[in-house]
Amino acid sequence: MKKKQNVKTAENQWSFTELEHESATLSLQTVDFQIELRDLYEQVNFVENNED
């Protein structure tokens, strides 16, 4: 599981973070919220798509 997080830090400035493991924590600072990816996607069934 790999997720990308972009956070605006100032006018025309952004911070980029890659969350690569299910134990990684997604943080939303403006609303003081943190959640591990495994909890966020707890009931999501990921199916690989091999159609190329």
Side-chain angles (χ1 to χ4, degrees), residues 36-51:
E36 286 188 2
L37 292 181
R38 76 171 110 232
D39 295 332
L40 182 63
Y41 292 102
E42 182 177 356
Q43 295 182 8
V44 176
N45 183 14
F46 291 99
V47 177
E48 287 190 36
N49 185 356
N50 293 327
E51 297 177 19

Side-chain angles (χ1 to χ4, degrees), residues 2 5-6 9 13 16 18 20 25 31 36 49 51:
K2 184 183 267 190
Q5 179 181 21
N6 293 290
T9 57
Q13 293 184 343
F16 171 75
E18 280 193 77
E20 297 190 30
T25 301
V31 292
E36 286 188 2
N49 185 356
E51 297 177 19

Side-chain angles (χ1 to χ4, degrees), residues 10-32:
E11 188 67 33
N12 296 320
Q13 293 184 343
W14 292 83
S15 171
F16 171 75
T17 305
E18 280 193 77
L19 306 169
E20 297 190 30
H21 304 284
E22 64 182 32
S23 62
T25 301
L26 173 67
S27 296
L28 306 176
Q29 296 175 354
T30 55
V31 292
D32 191 27

